[in-house]
């Protein structure tokens, strides 16, 4: 994995030089090589946390480097979302296809016997991700989720989610689904919302989160937004 990433960045630097020197033939050649390397890095199925971390960090860094190119940002965000589906999707986990497990995000500290949240992967995700405890309070929020709520990640810790979803929505929908997740179920549902003149579909996935064998501490929430295609077609 690391060798492919290093090779990509080397070719990427060569591409910038070729562009500056207006060497069109070399630019075309390097473009093709970079596409192949990008595909290869994305398609590797990580056996554990280290390789998965390299993948997420690579695509996050690439998105920053190509921030001025909207098409590239869109592509890289989609690839990051696909990695999340690959490693964090409950169906893939139940099939035993990958070595990653959502509960492994929480890992025991052998020196203190306490638990800590490994945020390296989750902080890099473009989707909104949060961990909610069994008393419905935020234990963790990645920057994307905090920004959506107009908060800093650290300011969300310990606050009840009813502050952000409202009492009616909490009682009618959110609480029931969280309780099912706390009971051991994986909950996956969608809902629509309107922001200005734009309607979006939100997919919410809730997965039980454990700090150790049999020790449930809450639920991991992953929220992904897409445009409402029905509205687009009707327009």
């Amino acid at each position: 994995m690391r060798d492919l990433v290093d090779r990509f960045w080397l070719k990427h630097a060569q591409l910038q030089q070729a562009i500056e020197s207006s060497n069109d033939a070399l630019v075309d050649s390097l473009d093709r090589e970079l596409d192949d390397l990008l595909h290869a890095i994305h398609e590797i199925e990580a056996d554990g946390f280290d390789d998965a971390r390299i993948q997420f960090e690579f695509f996050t860094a690439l998105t920053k480097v190509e921030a001025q190119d909207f098409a590239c940002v869109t592509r890289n965000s989609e690839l990051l979302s696909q990695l999340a589906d690959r490693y964090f999707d409950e169906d893939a986990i139940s099939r035993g296809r990958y070595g990653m497990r959502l509960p492994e995000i929480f890992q025991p500290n052998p020196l203190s016997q306490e638990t800590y949240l490994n945020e390296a992967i989750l902080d890099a995700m473009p989707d909104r991700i949060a961990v909610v405890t069994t008393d419905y309070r935020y234990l963790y929020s990645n920057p994307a989720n905090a920004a959506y709520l107009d908060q800093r990640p650290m300011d969300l810790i310990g606050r009840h989610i009813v502050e952000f979803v409202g009492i009616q929505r909490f009682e009618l929908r959110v609480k029931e689904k969280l309780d099912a997740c706390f009971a051991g179920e994986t909950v996956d549902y969608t809902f629509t919302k309107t922001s200005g003149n734009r309607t979006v579909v939100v997919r919410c996935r809730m997965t039980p989160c454990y700090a150790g064998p049999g020790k449930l501490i809450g639920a991991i929430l992953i929220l992904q937004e897409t445009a409402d295609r029905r509205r687009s077609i009707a327009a």
Side-chain angles (χ1 to χ4, degrees), residues 161-175:
I161 64 171
V162 76
E163 292 186 47
F164 304 96
V165 303
I167 186 64
Q168 184 175 16
R169 181 181 166 197
F170 176 75
E171 292 292 345
L172 294 179
R173 181 171 65 197
V174 177
K175 183 177 184 299

Side-chain angles (χ1 to χ4, degrees), residues 128 189-195 198-204 223-231:
R128 294 167 53 199
Y189 69 101
T190 61
F191 60 92
T192 61
K193 67 175 187 176
T194 302
S195 178
R198 180 171 175 262
T199 300
V200 296
V201 177
V202 182
R203 178 188 182 190
C204 180
L223 295 99
Q224 299 172 304
E225 293 188 5
T226 58
D228 189 348
R229 295 179 179 176
R230 296 168 301 176
R231 179 66 60 86

Side-chain angles (χ1 to χ4, degrees), residues 10 12 22 27 31 42 44-45 63-64 87 91 100 118-119 139 175 185 196 202 205 211 220 227:
L10 174 61
H12 192 275
S22 301
V27 167
D31 262 337
H42 178 264
I44 290 178
E45 299 178 359
T63 299
K64 292 179 180 178
Y87 297 128
D91 289 338
M100 297 291 291
N118 195 323
E119 302 175 10
L139 177 64
K175 183 177 184 299
E185 297 180 25
V202 182
R205 286 177 287 170
I220 299 176

Side-chain angles (χ1 to χ4, degrees), residues 70-106:
F70 178 77
C72 289
V73 171
T74 301
R75 176 202 65 195
N76 296 333
S77 295
E78 176 62 25
L79 292 175
L80 272 168
S81 293
Q82 290 174 12
L83 288 181
D85 287 338
R86 179 188 302 169
Y87 297 128
F88 297 156
D89 183 79
E90 189 66 19
D91 289 338
I93 291 172
S94 65
R95 291 194 300 270
R97 186 176 177 186
Y98 301 108
M100 297 291 291
R101 297 291 186 273
L102 273 175
E104 288 178 2
I105 295 171
F106 288 86

Side-chain angles (χ1 to χ4, degrees), residues 4-24:
L4 284 174
V5 170
D6 290 343
R7 196 185 316 166
F8 180 93
W9 289 120
L10 174 61
K11 296 293 182 181
H12 192 275
Q14 292 173 346
L15 175 64
Q16 304 312 308
Q17 294 175 353
I19 292 173
E20 291 177 4
S21 61
S22 301
N23 189 334
D24 293 340

